[in-house]
Amino acid sequence: MTNRLYVTTPIYYVNDKPHIGHAYCTILADALARYTRLDGGETFFLTGTDEHGQKVQQAAEKRGVTPQQHVDELFSAFQDLWPTLECAPDRFIRTTEPAHKNVVQRALWQLYDQGLIEDRTFEGWYCVPDERFWTEKEIVAGNCPDCGRPVTRLQERNWFFLMSRFQDRLIQAVQTGEMAIVPANRANEVLGFLREPLQDLCISRPKSRLSWGIELPFDRDFVAYVWFDALLNYVTALAPELPPPTAEDHALTPHLLGHAPFQKWWPHVTHCLGKDILTTHAVYWPTMLLALGLPVPKRLVTTGWWLMDDAKMSKSIGNVVDPLVLRDTYGPDVMRYFFLREMAVGQDANFSEEAVVRRNNADLANDLGNLLQRVVGMCTRSFDGKIPAATQPPSHVLADALAYAQHLQDEQATDDFEPVAVTSSQARLNRTIADTMVLVQKLNGVITADAPFKKVQTDKEAAQTTLNGVLHGIVVAAKLLAPVMPAASAEMLRRMQAQDGTLRPGTQLIEGAPLFPKHEWKMEMAELVDTKSQPGAAQATSGRGLQDFRTGEFRSESEPSDLIDIETFARSQLRLGLVISAEPVAKSKKLLRLMIDLGEGQPRQILSGIAETVPPVDLIGKQVLVIANLPPRMMMGMESHGMLLVAEDAEGKRVPLHPARDVPNGVLVK
Ligand code: ME8
């Protein structure tokens, strides 16, 4: 059966300028679609803009234009951005489209007919400037908890969707995985929320307060609550062009169920969304669907936040990174690679331009780009610029790299390759990218070990076998990275004339400029100096270690004072455990918060100062070495129940330790 994916992003508020949170979500959805297609699957990718509501109305009033004029000017900032980031949605939807208005009005009328919408008068504390109600509990000494101004008691009639009726059915959908929520901890969050009685949802706003919205077809004094309107975009995109509802024909569901695109795509829907809009997607939306007699969404992929200086990037804080600047400085491929490599799906990650530069220079310029450049250069010098044939059995290292490449291709080609599926708590998408970069490192290792540039003088056949094998490996890597870096991957394949994924010996290679130019990052030097000075300083005070960096004095590791007896060693509980989640710690540059399964039933929280050198995505789903019997220690207001053990590389950067193959979680290292 063909693998199908209907992938959606949130529809973005048109009033905001696109920021990297929006760019990340759209790039993620695009990459999921591309990975599905790489595997022979079919995809439909939807994004768009959310154009109704208070903020739009106010902004338009301020400018002295109509809300429609306002949104018509703004939506293209989003629509025009996506192709420049190599995102190729099949449909860009706007909630002001007549087709969408008709869907929303039909849904409202159908639910009204079914007795699932009713009007009620409620009383609450109203903040006039903020134009919103607060409950008794929320107000602070008679003032608005948001702006601090006095609130007034107000009565208002409104329309309510009887959401509470679907509580049990929703719990069942989440528990059985009928609606899968990725990552799993978010499903628990939703189930936790559903332990309290579910309230009915107010789905109207009186026009006297807000007129910019979709009118309720059965009560013209009201417009629809903006979320009720916005969520329905996901079905509008699959609906036929429906006329406005009339007294005779005003239902929605029959038109959807009988419509081929809806039948084809709806069972395969995956909504990508940020964790801040989980309740709307995991509670409001499925209950709306259930009420309409439609299936709940198949899957919700909840993404974390990009943090900057450890706070969520947001317009009000003013720390928003402009995706246009990022794109223009580094190009869309590097930007996409950074986003998808650096953030584990579902977890928060820190954004810094320095990290973009580091990824670009290390992974892309040094490892990937330089590899192709060197190999093409060697073929130009020694084989007339043609792809040499493999004429000998491969060396041991080459055979290992090629077997690994084959393994990655086989994994990708399975019938049910699901880029969002989570295996050992790591999204498949992240693992594929990380594994492909391991292949690239292995290929660089082949060049170092087999040294074809030297061998060509003495054993031309060995050299050409190496170059052929490495080129073959680069073709595999380029194919597997195509969903992440469409243009760079296509260019790599073009230079090897292997656009169809097949390397043909004898074909002329095409030379070109380096694919990933290096970038300078001034701060990088300062950072290096900072981390390099630390081990020395620590050793100087403790008086142990190999060398005192301040005095230069050298002490042998085996000096008697450093020896311990076996009992002393045996008191340390060194254990291997699986990293279930990893995320940056607020207000800390260095710390990661890890949840590690040590086979104790509950995972342990361990804080580790490795955030600057190890991205969380490199840890999740891997086993790591920890010392498990240290007393708990407070760090940044959180308890750490153990310590991650790391080595340091030549530059003083920390490297976690993984076992050569999987072992039971919690096993003692002796
Ligand atoms: O919520 N890092 O729209 P929106 C990562 N219109 N993602 C971020 C982020 C950050 N720093 N800041 C925001 C809406 N986002 C509604 C959606 S869908 C029917 C209606 C993400 O423009 C945020 O989590 O405010 C959300 O998923 C998305 O940007 C859209 O935000």
Side-chain angles (χ1 to χ4, degrees), residues 91 204 380 436:
R91 170 93 156 86
S204 67
T380 305
T436 307

Side-chain angles (χ1 to χ4, degrees), residues 130-158:
D130 282 356
E131 303 190 48
R132 64 160 292 180
F133 276 95
W134 299 101
T135 63
E136 186 75 47
K137 270 196 214 154
E138 287 169 326
I139 58 166
V140 182
N143 292 320
C144 167
D146 213 24
C147 68
R149 286 173 283 202
V151 288
T152 43
R153 196 79 186 156
L154 205 78
Q155 261 198 359
E156 194 171 279
R157 188 172 73 91
N158 259 308

Side-chain angles (χ1 to χ4, degrees), residues 10-13 19 21-22 50 227 230-231 233-234 273-274 276-277 281 304-306 312-313:
I11 47 171
Y12 305 114
Y13 286 128
H19 62 68
H22 301 139
D50 193 352
W227 272 103
L231 288 161
N233 91 87
Y234 301 133
L273 49 122
D276 51 330
I277 53 174
H281 282 79
W305 285 336
W306 285 100
K312 184 188 173 209
M313 227 172 264

Side-chain angles (χ1 to χ4, degrees), residues 608-663:
S608 176
I610 50 171
E612 286 173 316
T613 42
V614 188
V617 69
D618 282 359
L619 290 167
I620 298 165
K622 292 209 180 123
Q623 287 189 315
V624 290
L625 186 59
V626 301
I627 174 150
N629 61 336
L630 293 175
R633 194 175 148 201
M634 289 299 283
M635 295 159 98
M636 300 296 291
M638 281 186 280
E639 273 192 8
S640 183
H641 295 267
M643 187 168 87
L644 184 79
L645 296 180
V646 295
E648 280 186 358
D649 69 8
E651 292 170 352
K653 292 191 175 155
R654 294 169 181 196
V655 184
L657 308 167
H658 309 298
R661 58 194 169 79
D662 281 356
V663 292

